[in-house]
Amino acid sequence: MSDLAAASCDGETSGPAALEGPEKKPLKPCCACPETKRARDTCIIEKGEENCGPLIEAHKECMRALGFKI
């Protein structure tokens, strides 16, 4: 992850998010589901979006499971 992307994960947000405790900040969409996001992005770069449907859907399901509306 780039320094800019990593830094943006540390900021505050007001989007839909799962709280991890009373003192934790809400989870931002950019930081949710890093495993499925990485696999999806790598596939899209190497093979094109049209060939990565299952990985795209897996990432969407992961995001939905954390409470994001996608």
Side-chain angles (χ1 to χ4, degrees):
M1 183 180 324
S2 73
D3 291 337
L4 180 60
S8 69
C9 289
D10 295 332
E12 293 187 27
T13 183
S14 61
L19 294 176
E20 296 179 5
E23 298 179 9
K24 298 274 185 173
K25 293 181 182 176
L27 184 62
K28 292 177 67 174
C30 67
C31 302
C33 304
E35 298 84 14
T36 58
K37 182 178 180 179
R38 188 176 303 112
R40 177 205 66 185
D41 291 350
T42 300
C43 181
I44 290 171
I45 290 168
E46 294 176 357
K47 301 177 183 179
E49 184 176 349
E50 62 279 358
N51 297 310
C52 301
L55 291 173
I56 293 169
E57 288 305 313
H59 184 62
K60 286 181 182 179
E61 288 179 32
C62 180
M63 297 289 287
R64 288 182 192 119
L66 292 176
F68 294 99
K69 296 184 183 197
I70 296 186

